[in-house]
Amino acid sequence: MKSAVKRIGVFTSGGDAPGMNAAIRAVVRASMHYGVECIGIRRGYHGLINGDFVKLDFESVSDISRRGGTVLYSARSMEFKEEAGRSKALSTCKLLGLDALVGIGGDGTFKGLLSLAKAGLSVIGIPGTIDNDIACSTYTIGYDTACNTALESIDRLRDTMKSHERCSVVEVMGHRAGHLAVAVGISCGATVVLVPERKVDYDEDVIEPIRRARLAGRTHFMVIVAEGVEGGAYEVADKIRDATSLDTRVTVLGHVQRGGSPTARDRQVATYMGHAAVRLLVEGKTCRVVALNGDDVVDYDITEALAMKKDLDKEGLRVLRDLTGME
Ligand code: F6P
């Protein structure tokens, strides 16, 4: 098949996520398969503005799938938000002979791609974020690894909380989205899970489930708080202590959730998505976001994808409520 593009630039942008390297490898190897050149842009849009690139070939992406982080580095570029920055980025593309870009990241990354598409570049986005908050995709690269990393720490915390009959308040990442908190809460059997999407009623959502669990004989408690919840984990812990006299301890898991070797699921999804991104470009498609719909790899128009909304997992919330007494 004759490819519609000749030279692809691949980059990672925004918060990194385990599995991004597997996506980079797949983009490079698929490009080679279709006879298309591929170069790596380092440090996201910042690198595109400054012409920061690296040649990638079969061997240079060998054995990177199992590594955490991103070999292309990542950044959040303020300069690219300005017209002057975008115009410099376009000049770089011209200079490097790029007619296509694959950006791995979140909504911010896709918005950037859209602005470059308007200037004639072929662009494809791949969802990579531990938050799993890309509306068009049931899954984003990095989510499974982040859930497992958080879970491993929480299991350890539970041991010591149990010994001391304490209440552990654990803050997981998720500034605007509670998907990670819900998944982690279900997996660890939390008594309470708080997410930014829902205003917290302390009596109903926090104190009451703890009271019920106490009446049922429980002497230690696990409370999961997403980063974006008003007041954060420290305020939640103070309120629990004041209302119940429980000995509370706060653990903020933070960026540890973004690191580590990706799970099989993240490597696999990333590989499928990277391959699909190149196939779309070769077929002459542009302005698409590769996504998962269940187990199927699909794609959406970027503008449509950005307009979509993603609800928290309703079944997950129901299970949490039924098993922990959350309303
Ligand atoms: O978007 C991913 C994410 O990890 C969010 O959960 C978190 O709020 C944010 O990135 C943290 O970003 P930074 O690495 O800039 O501190």
Side-chain angles (χ1 to χ4, degrees), residues 163-183:
S163 307
H164 290 271
E165 299 176 288
R166 283 171 171 160
C167 174
S168 188
V169 180
V170 180
E171 187 175 293
V172 298
M173 273 196 163
H175 196 59
R176 283 182 297 269
H179 306 286
L180 187 64
V182 170

PDB file of all heavy atoms in Angstrom, residues 163-183:
ATOM      1  N   SER A 163      -2.802  -3.367  62.671  1.00  0.00           N
ATOM      2  CA  SER A 163      -2.082  -3.605  63.934  1.00  0.00           C
ATOM      3  C   SER A 163      -2.396  -2.533  64.961  1.00  0.00           C
ATOM      4  O   SER A 163      -2.499  -2.796  66.151  1.00  0.00           O
ATOM      5  CB  SER A 163      -0.572  -3.599  63.701  1.00  0.00           C
ATOM      6  OG  SER A 163      -0.225  -4.481  62.686  1.00  0.00           O
ATOM      7  N   HIS A 164      -2.502  -1.283  64.479  1.00  0.00           N
ATOM      8  CA  HIS A 164      -2.706  -0.153  65.408  1.00  0.00           C
ATOM      9  C   HIS A 164      -4.159   0.315  65.485  1.00  0.00           C
ATOM     10  O   HIS A 164      -4.437   1.297  66.165  1.00  0.00           O
ATOM     11  CB  HIS A 164      -1.819   1.023  64.976  1.00  0.00           C
ATOM     12  CG  HIS A 164      -0.371   0.770  65.202  1.00  0.00           C
ATOM     13  ND1 HIS A 164       0.267   1.084  66.389  1.00  0.00           N
ATOM     14  CD2 HIS A 164       0.566   0.197  64.413  1.00  0.00           C
ATOM     15  CE1 HIS A 164       1.540   0.727  66.302  1.00  0.00           C
ATOM     16  NE2 HIS A 164       1.745   0.185  65.110  1.00  0.00           N
ATOM     17  N   GLU A 165      -5.032  -0.371  64.797  1.00  0.00           N
ATOM     18  CA  GLU A 165      -6.466  -0.035  64.782  1.00  0.00           C
ATOM     19  C   GLU A 165      -6.686   1.438  64.449  1.00  0.00           C
ATOM     20  O   GLU A 165      -7.337   2.179  65.169  1.00  0.00           O
ATOM     21  CB  GLU A 165      -7.108  -0.413  66.119  1.00  0.00           C
ATOM     22  CG  GLU A 165      -6.988  -1.905  66.362  1.00  0.00           C
ATOM     23  CD  GLU A 165      -7.516  -2.343  67.708  1.00  0.00           C
ATOM     24  OE1 GLU A 165      -6.862  -2.049  68.726  1.00  0.00           O
ATOM     25  OE2 GLU A 165      -8.582  -2.955  67.730  1.00  0.00           O
ATOM     26  N   ARG A 166      -6.097   1.822  63.317  1.00  0.00           N
ATOM     27  CA  ARG A 166      -6.145   3.221  62.888  1.00  0.00           C
ATOM     28  C   ARG A 166      -7.025   3.394  61.647  1.00  0.00           C
ATOM     29  O   ARG A 166      -7.424   2.415  61.016  1.00  0.00           O
ATOM     30  CB  ARG A 166      -4.734   3.695  62.534  1.00  0.00           C
ATOM     31  CG  ARG A 166      -3.901   4.002  63.747  1.00  0.00           C
ATOM     32  CD  ARG A 166      -2.468   4.259  63.336  1.00  0.00           C
ATOM     33  NE  ARG A 166      -1.700   4.768  64.464  1.00  0.00           N
ATOM     34  CZ  ARG A 166      -0.384   4.726  64.545  1.00  0.00           C
ATOM     35  NH1 ARG A 166       0.325   4.190  63.567  1.00  0.00           N
ATOM     36  NH2 ARG A 166       0.230   5.221  65.589  1.00  0.00           N
ATOM     37  N   CYS A 167      -7.177   4.656  61.287  1.00  0.00           N
ATOM     38  CA  CYS A 167      -7.873   4.982  60.048  1.00  0.00           C
ATOM     39  C   CYS A 167      -6.860   5.600  59.073  1.00  0.00           C
ATOM     40  O   CYS A 167      -6.250   6.625  59.378  1.00  0.00           O
ATOM     41  CB  CYS A 167      -9.000   5.971  60.333  1.00  0.00           C
ATOM     42  SG  CYS A 167      -9.800   6.549  58.825  1.00  0.00           S
ATOM     43  N   SER A 168      -6.687   4.936  57.938  1.00  0.00           N
ATOM     44  CA  SER A 168      -5.733   5.418  56.944  1.00  0.00           C
ATOM     45  C   SER A 168      -6.463   6.264  55.895  1.00  0.00           C
ATOM     46  O   SER A 168      -7.461   5.821  55.333  1.00  0.00           O
ATOM     47  CB  SER A 168      -5.086   4.204  56.269  1.00  0.00           C
ATOM     48  OG  SER A 168      -4.046   4.594  55.450  1.00  0.00           O
ATOM     49  N   VAL A 169      -5.959   7.467  55.666  1.00  0.00           N
ATOM     50  CA  VAL A 169      -6.539   8.319  54.617  1.00  0.00           C
ATOM     51  C   VAL A 169      -5.487   8.425  53.520  1.00  0.00           C
ATOM     52  O   VAL A 169      -4.411   8.989  53.738  1.00  0.00           O
ATOM     53  CB  VAL A 169      -6.921   9.712  55.159  1.00  0.00           C
ATOM     54  CG1 VAL A 169      -7.521  10.569  54.038  1.00  0.00           C
ATOM     55  CG2 VAL A 169      -7.900   9.595  56.315  1.00  0.00           C
ATOM     56  N   VAL A 170      -5.773   7.823  52.374  1.00  0.00           N
ATOM     57  CA  VAL A 170      -4.786   7.751  51.294  1.00  0.00           C
ATOM     58  C   VAL A 170      -5.223   8.638  50.129  1.00  0.00           C
ATOM     59  O   VAL A 170      -6.329   8.507  49.615  1.00  0.00           O
ATOM     60  CB  VAL A 170      -4.636   6.302  50.782  1.00  0.00           C
ATOM     61  CG1 VAL A 170      -3.602   6.231  49.664  1.00  0.00           C
ATOM     62  CG2 VAL A 170      -4.242   5.380  51.914  1.00  0.00           C
ATOM     63  N   GLU A 171      -4.329   9.546  49.742  1.00  0.00           N
ATOM     64  CA  GLU A 171      -4.635  10.405  48.594  1.00  0.00           C
ATOM     65  C   GLU A 171      -4.025   9.805  47.335  1.00  0.00           C
ATOM     66  O   GLU A 171      -2.822   9.567  47.268  1.00  0.00           O
ATOM     67  CB  GLU A 171      -4.086  11.815  48.836  1.00  0.00           C
ATOM     68  CG  GLU A 171      -4.528  12.782  47.742  1.00  0.00           C
ATOM     69  CD  GLU A 171      -4.097  14.210  48.050  1.00  0.00           C
ATOM     70  OE1 GLU A 171      -4.604  14.789  49.018  1.00  0.00           O
ATOM     71  OE2 GLU A 171      -3.235  14.713  47.309  1.00  0.00           O
ATOM     72  N   VAL A 172      -4.878   9.548  46.353  1.00  0.00           N
ATOM     73  CA  VAL A 172      -4.392   9.059  45.054  1.00  0.00           C
ATOM     74  C   VAL A 172      -4.488  10.203  44.048  1.00  0.00           C
ATOM     75  O   VAL A 172      -5.182  11.186  44.277  1.00  0.00           O
ATOM     76  CB  VAL A 172      -5.189   7.825  44.545  1.00  0.00           C
ATOM     77  CG1 VAL A 172      -5.039   6.660  45.492  1.00  0.00           C
ATOM     78  CG2 VAL A 172      -6.654   8.148  44.307  1.00  0.00           C
ATOM     79  N   MET A 173      -3.792  10.057  42.907  1.00  0.00           N
ATOM     80  CA  MET A 173      -3.817  11.138  41.910  1.00  0.00           C
ATOM     81  C   MET A 173      -5.199  11.269  41.272  1.00  0.00           C
ATOM     82  O   MET A 173      -6.021  10.361  41.336  1.00  0.00           O
ATOM     83  CB  MET A 173      -2.754  10.913  40.857  1.00  0.00           C
ATOM     84  CG  MET A 173      -1.424  11.498  41.279  1.00  0.00           C
ATOM     85  SD  MET A 173      -0.298  11.646  39.890  1.00  0.00           S
ATOM     86  CE  MET A 173       0.893  12.794  40.567  1.00  0.00           C
ATOM     87  N   GLY A 174      -5.418  12.381  40.649  1.00  0.00           N
ATOM     88  CA  GLY A 174      -6.706  12.658  40.002  1.00  0.00           C
ATOM     89  C   GLY A 174      -7.186  14.030  40.435  1.00  0.00           C
ATOM     90  O   GLY A 174      -7.890  14.169  41.426  1.00  0.00           O
ATOM     91  N   HIS A 175      -6.727  15.024  39.688  1.00  0.00           N
ATOM     92  CA  HIS A 175      -7.058  16.403  40.053  1.00  0.00           C
ATOM     93  C   HIS A 175      -8.513  16.715  39.730  1.00  0.00           C
ATOM     94  O   HIS A 175      -9.232  17.318  40.511  1.00  0.00           O
ATOM     95  CB  HIS A 175      -6.120  17.350  39.296  1.00  0.00           C
ATOM     96  CG  HIS A 175      -6.109  18.711  39.865  1.00  0.00           C
ATOM     97  ND1 HIS A 175      -5.754  18.946  41.178  1.00  0.00           N
ATOM     98  CD2 HIS A 175      -6.444  19.903  39.333  1.00  0.00           C
ATOM     99  CE1 HIS A 175      -5.870  20.233  41.405  1.00  0.00           C
ATOM    100  NE2 HIS A 175      -6.291  20.838  40.310  1.00  0.00           N
ATOM    101  N   ARG A 176      -8.916  16.284  38.534  1.00  0.00           N
ATOM    102  CA  ARG A 176     -10.304  16.551  38.121  1.00  0.00           C
ATOM    103  C   ARG A 176     -11.122  15.270  37.953  1.00  0.00           C
ATOM    104  O   ARG A 176     -12.314  15.331  37.725  1.00  0.00           O
ATOM    105  CB  ARG A 176     -10.306  17.317  36.778  1.00  0.00           C
ATOM    106  CG  ARG A 176      -9.971  18.777  36.929  1.00  0.00           C
ATOM    107  CD  ARG A 176     -10.036  19.478  35.592  1.00  0.00           C
ATOM    108  NE  ARG A 176      -9.060  18.946  34.664  1.00  0.00           N
ATOM    109  CZ  ARG A 176      -7.828  19.440  34.529  1.00  0.00           C
ATOM    110  NH1 ARG A 176      -7.454  20.478  35.224  1.00  0.00           N
ATOM    111  NH2 ARG A 176      -6.982  18.901  33.674  1.00  0.00           N
ATOM    112  N   ALA A 177     -10.468  14.115  38.047  1.00  0.00           N
ATOM    113  CA  ALA A 177     -11.163  12.858  37.771  1.00  0.00           C
ATOM    114  C   ALA A 177     -10.962  11.831  38.885  1.00  0.00           C
ATOM    115  O   ALA A 177      -9.864  11.685  39.413  1.00  0.00           O
ATOM    116  CB  ALA A 177     -10.650  12.287  36.450  1.00  0.00           C
ATOM    117  N   GLY A 178     -12.042  11.108  39.200  1.00  0.00           N
ATOM    118  CA  GLY A 178     -11.977  10.137  40.298  1.00  0.00           C
ATOM    119  C   GLY A 178     -11.933   8.689  39.845  1.00  0.00           C
ATOM    120  O   GLY A 178     -12.128   7.782  40.661  1.00  0.00           O
ATOM    121  N   HIS A 179     -11.650   8.436  38.557  1.00  0.00           N
ATOM    122  CA  HIS A 179     -11.657   7.043  38.066  1.00  0.00           C
ATOM    123  C   HIS A 179     -10.651   6.175  38.821  1.00  0.00           C
ATOM    124  O   HIS A 179     -10.955   5.052  39.220  1.00  0.00           O
ATOM    125  CB  HIS A 179     -11.344   6.989  36.569  1.00  0.00           C
ATOM    126  CG  HIS A 179     -12.248   7.862  35.752  1.00  0.00           C
ATOM    127  ND1 HIS A 179     -13.556   7.546  35.499  1.00  0.00           N
ATOM    128  CD2 HIS A 179     -12.040   9.067  35.168  1.00  0.00           C
ATOM    129  CE1 HIS A 179     -14.104   8.508  34.769  1.00  0.00           C
ATOM    130  NE2 HIS A 179     -13.196   9.440  34.562  1.00  0.00           N
ATOM    131  N   LEU A 180      -9.449   6.733  38.994  1.00  0.00           N
ATOM    132  CA  LEU A 180      -8.390   5.982  39.685  1.00  0.00           C
ATOM    133  C   LEU A 180      -8.813   5.688  41.133  1.00  0.00           C
ATOM    134  O   LEU A 180      -8.659   4.566  41.626  1.00  0.00           O
ATOM    135  CB  LEU A 180      -7.089   6.810  39.657  1.00  0.00           C
ATOM    136  CG  LEU A 180      -5.822   6.164  40.179  1.00  0.00           C
ATOM    137  CD1 LEU A 180      -5.410   4.974  39.330  1.00  0.00           C
ATOM    138  CD2 LEU A 180      -4.667   7.180  40.193  1.00  0.00           C
ATOM    139  N   ALA A 181      -9.390   6.694  41.795  1.00  0.00           N
ATOM    140  CA  ALA A 181      -9.814   6.527  43.198  1.00  0.00           C
ATOM    141  C   ALA A 181     -10.881   5.439  43.317  1.00  0.00           C
ATOM    142  O   ALA A 181     -10.822   4.591  44.216  1.00  0.00           O
ATOM    143  CB  ALA A 181     -10.341   7.854  43.744  1.00  0.00           C
ATOM    144  N   VAL A 182     -11.836   5.444  42.391  1.00  0.00           N
ATOM    145  CA  VAL A 182     -12.919   4.446  42.450  1.00  0.00           C
ATOM    146  C   VAL A 182     -12.343   3.038  42.227  1.00  0.00           C
ATOM    147  O   VAL A 182     -12.646   2.107  42.974  1.00  0.00           O
ATOM    148  CB  VAL A 182     -14.022   4.760  41.401  1.00  0.00           C
ATOM    149  CG1 VAL A 182     -15.013   3.617  41.284  1.00  0.00           C
ATOM    150  CG2 VAL A 182     -14.752   6.055  41.769  1.00  0.00           C
ATOM    151  N   ALA A 183     -11.499   2.902  41.199  1.00  0.00           N
ATOM    152  CA  ALA A 183     -10.933   1.580  40.886  1.00  0.00           C
ATOM    153  C   ALA A 183     -10.075   1.069  42.046  1.00  0.00           C
ATOM    154  O   ALA A 183     -10.177  -0.098  42.444  1.00  0.00           O
ATOM    155  CB  ALA A 183     -10.094   1.660  39.610  1.00  0.00           C
TER     156      ALA A 183
END
